[in-house]
Amino acid sequence: MSSSSVLTDDTALSRADRAWLRLEATMNLIGGIVIFMLVLLAVWNVLGRKFLGMPVPGYVDWTQQFMACFAFLGLAYCQREGGHIRMDIVVSRLHGRSLWFAELLSVIFMLLLTTALIYGTWFHFQRSFDWSAPMWSRDSSIDIALPLWPAKLLVPVALAVLWVRLALQIWGFGRALVRNDPAPVAVPLIEDPATQAAHEAETVE
């Protein structure tokens, strides 16, 4: 039994959903690995400073650089699974086409916002990147001069992956609205607290 609330079948939409999920899951895994490595780096920094008088050079710089990884790499995966904070007090009382219409409107709004964020963050990256500069960077961290463009590039890339996920969900909710589908595929379905708790328990078993 899957812990996900997203249903699947053999339609083109569901196949596209599962194909894109592989990329999202990989990016989410990388974000988790980065968090684990930063924990090890923090331990090394504290123990090295206390017992050897040798903290990690540029510890703050490295931490700031890799914060973008765990902050953004899991966005699309979380959206696919319906894991972002939602106001379900009203939406959970809706059913049928009214529910799918509300979900569709919210995803369209998120798509528009994500489009604007991709535009802004891409130009923010471009201001940092320069082929003719050392390490292709026009700016760097304060302590050990790490180039900042890799972290700045990661943000629009992760948002682009989220954009595709939102487009797939618009497809899914739109199709559910037209067909009045009681159990649409490729979209996160609202679950009651007991079902959510059961799914969370499955993930740690």
Side-chain angles (χ1 to χ4, degrees), residues 45-119:
N45 184 61
V46 171
L47 295 181
R49 181 188 299 274
K50 181 174 180 62
F51 296 107
L52 303 176
M54 297 174 56
V56 176
Y59 169 72
V60 174
D61 294 32
W62 287 110
T63 302
Q64 291 176 340
Q65 183 83 329
F66 286 105
M67 280 180 64
C69 294
F70 63 81
F72 290 94
L73 285 180
L75 281 178
Y77 180 84
C78 191
Q79 176 64 29
R80 195 263 182 183
E81 298 299 322
H84 291 298
I85 296 174
R86 292 163 52 94
M87 296 300 293
D88 287 343
I89 297 176
V90 175
V91 177
S92 62
R93 299 178 182 273
L94 302 177
H95 302 282
R97 283 194 168 97
S98 60
L99 172 60
W100 307 138
F101 180 72
E103 294 279 24
L104 180 62
L105 279 183
S106 66
V107 177
I108 290 175
F109 175 77
M110 285 188 284
L111 183 74
L112 295 175
L113 178 60
T114 301
T115 302
L117 289 172
I118 291 172
Y119 179 84

Side-chain angles (χ1 to χ4, degrees), residues 3 10 25 67 83 93 110 115 126 141-142 151 167 171 188:
S3 62
D10 292 328
M67 280 180 64
R93 299 178 182 273
M110 285 188 284
T115 302
Q126 286 188 317
S141 63
I142 296 175
W171 181 4

Side-chain angles (χ1 to χ4, degrees), residues 26-47:
T26 300
M27 292 174 63
N28 192 55
L29 175 62
I30 293 172
I33 292 172
V34 168
I35 293 175
F36 179 70
M37 297 303 293
L38 284 177
V39 170
L40 295 181
L41 186 66
V43 172
W44 179 14
N45 184 61
V46 171
L47 295 181

